[in-house]
Amino acid sequence: MTEPPEASAAAEPPDPAALTGSTGGEPGTQSSSGTGTAGAGIAGAGIAGAPGTPRSIDPGSTGAPGAQPSTEPRTAEPRTAGPRTAGPRSVTARATAAGVIVSALLILAIVLGSRLLANFDSALLPYAVATVFLAFGVAYRYTVWVSAPGARRLFKQGWRSFFSVANFRKAPTALPRMIATYLGFQKFLGARSHARWAAHQLIFWGCILASLITFPLTWGWFTFTSGSGSGPGYEMRIWGFKIIGFDSLDFLGWLMFHGLDIAAVLVIPGASYFLWRRMKDRGAVTGQRFAYDLVPLIALIVISVTGLLLTFSSIFLHGGGYEFLAVLHMVSVVFTLIYIPFGKFFHIVQRPAAVGMQLFKYTARQDQEVLGCRRCEEPIDTGPYVDNLRGTMRDLGLDFDEWAEYCPRCKRVLRGSAYLSQVKKGFK
């Protein structure tokens, strides 16, 4: 069994998880330095100056806790000073420039896509303005996020894996499969709770459907025209080009005009479940924040309910209360769009970057040895993944990155041993 670290290791450094995980995503999402056993264990390291050399083991081998570690050396990256993190002013300037450029491009796309505003509906102007603010906020926040060392490494490794010809040759179906299972069906949520997975799927697909309808309509890209002016025959046009003709009285026409109602029916039960859980689950109640955790759910429910009430008013009340409901619906949608970049919904933008890291880990496992714990030889993760994590820690100035090569259990054991032998020496 490896001896506890020396006396100088007793001082506990800052928790790296707190330094690398502040990405603005939802709790439980992957940190910017990546996730996995190695990443999860780093937060528990807490001790500097790990002795010994790294080791690697074959993917199929295991070692019992307490077993003698192998003596096969593994070449580690030379310790170098991490790159200087850009100052707050330069990051803010780059983020502002990115936001302005993306917003200008969106405005240009709206003008051109609506045929110089010929197809633009002025009644939808508040929604269009909100999407421009949304574009600025997303570009600004994303630029700030990828400027952090951990997120920058994740971003680079993800795109490098995405464009790698060698990865495509080794696993041509890996990326489509990960997009479908990780982004589309989010199977990782099913491991936590089937009810949470089902509720998240309802919200996800409801929001996807609503976005595919709302944004093109708002920008004037997507229009319905009728030769008679009142139907029932309509033509669906995108960028002014006819796509399909349909009768508003048949099933296809009903789907065309009630797509947002279907989206609302999907979102309401999903958001209601999470709202109920936030009020009843003790673990969720303990760490929740009203503006961060509850406001997004309330906003989704208000948008969906007011949207359904607009349909109810037009069909059953002959337009009674329609103007008030339309204003209330517009306010809730505009507020939510502006809120997205600066609240919990930002994880929607972050999540695709995590797919790149998953692809990086998956392809590394195909032909790389799995790194074993220095102490017990239990598999941790692939060598490239651990090296990436160590590099992130060095970029952040955390000079105990060797502890990434210990499993979480051994970190806890060594930390406890060092505490008892150094801090509480002689205490019984």
Side-chain angles (χ1 to χ4, degrees), residues 355-375:
V355 175
M357 180 54 70
Q358 293 296 319
L359 181 64
F360 168 63
K361 293 175 63 176
Y362 176 82
T363 53
R365 289 193 185 102
Q366 303 304 304
D367 55 1
Q368 295 283 344
E369 289 184 333
V370 176
L371 188 70
C373 174
R374 288 184 176 186
R375 179 174 178 271

Side-chain angles (χ1 to χ4, degrees), residues 6-277:
E6 54 272 13
S8 62
E12 184 174 343
D15 184 355
L19 294 173
T20 60
S22 58
T23 62
E26 66 173 324
T29 57
Q30 297 178 339
S31 73
S32 58
S33 59
T35 58
T37 308
I42 289 298
I47 309 173
T53 57
R55 299 162 183 51
S56 60
I57 63 175
D58 292 331
S61 64
T62 57
Q68 291 296 324
S70 66
T71 57
E72 180 184 354
R74 172 178 176 269
T75 303
E77 287 186 20
R79 180 181 296 280
T80 57
R84 289 185 179 179
T85 304
R89 289 186 178 180
S90 62
V91 172
T92 301
R94 287 203 308 269
T96 302
V100 171
I101 292 172
V102 171
S103 300
L105 290 176
L106 177 58
I107 293 173
L108 181 63
I110 292 174
V111 173
L112 296 179
S114 62
R115 296 202 165 189
L116 302 180
L117 303 181
N119 295 331
F120 186 82
D121 188 350
S122 59
L124 301 178
L125 180 62
Y127 297 96
V129 173
T131 61
V132 173
F133 277 99
L134 170 65
F136 177 88
V138 167
Y140 182 95
R141 180 78 186 279
Y142 202 88
T143 304
V144 172
W145 178 57
V146 298
S147 297
R152 183 169 59 247
R153 279 181 173 268
L154 182 150
F155 189 78
K156 290 180 178 179
Q157 289 287 5
W159 282 109
R160 188 178 295 122
S161 300
F162 180 80
F163 287 111
S164 173
V165 177
N167 288 346
F168 180 77
R169 289 174 179 172
K170 286 187 296 185
T173 62
L175 181 61
R177 189 168 64 249
M178 288 181 182
I179 292 175
T181 59
Y182 194 78
L183 284 184
F185 296 102
Q186 300 142 4
K187 294 179 67 175
F188 63 93
L189 288 174
R192 305 176 190 174
S193 167
H194 293 299
R196 290 172 64 185
W197 173 82
H200 202 278
Q201 283 286 285
L202 289 174
I203 294 177
F204 175 77
W205 291 111
C207 290
I208 289 292
L209 177 60
S211 299
L212 291 176
I213 297 173
T214 301
F215 288 132
L217 279 175
T218 298
W219 297 333
W221 295 0
F222 188 38
T223 59
F224 294 100
T225 59
S226 172
S228 63
S230 59
Y234 284 89
E235 293 179 351
M236 183 180 73
R237 294 177 176 268
I238 297 180
W239 298 316
F241 299 100
K242 178 182 176 180
I243 302 300
I244 189 176
F246 62 92
D247 190 332
S248 61
L249 301 178
D250 61 18
F251 181 70
L252 177 61
W254 186 89
L255 289 177
M256 289 287 185
F257 285 112
H258 293 276
L260 291 176
D261 294 330
I262 296 172
V265 170
L266 292 174
V267 168
I268 289 174
S272 299
Y273 168 81
F274 282 116
L275 191 61
W276 171 84
R277 180 177 173 274

Side-chain angles (χ1 to χ4, degrees), residues 252-339:
L252 177 61
W254 186 89
L255 289 177
M256 289 287 185
F257 285 112
H258 293 276
L260 291 176
D261 294 330
I262 296 172
V265 170
L266 292 174
V267 168
I268 289 174
S272 299
Y273 168 81
F274 282 116
L275 191 61
W276 171 84
R277 180 177 173 274
R278 286 286 174 187
M279 295 179 178
K280 296 294 183 180
D281 186 87
R282 182 175 297 179
V285 170
T286 302
Q288 74 184 7
R289 292 166 287 173
F290 179 79
Y292 189 82
D293 297 299
L294 298 181
V295 168
L297 299 174
I298 295 172
L300 288 177
I301 293 175
V302 171
I303 291 172
S304 302
V305 171
T306 54
L308 290 176
L309 288 176
L310 285 172
T311 302
F312 181 84
S313 172
S314 63
I315 295 177
F316 298 103
L317 302 180
H318 306 290
Y322 193 93
E323 292 184 1
F324 169 76
L325 291 172
V327 172
L328 181 60
H329 182 74
M330 180 191 67
V331 170
S332 60
V333 171
V334 169
F335 167 79
T336 304
L337 290 176
I338 296 176
Y339 172 86

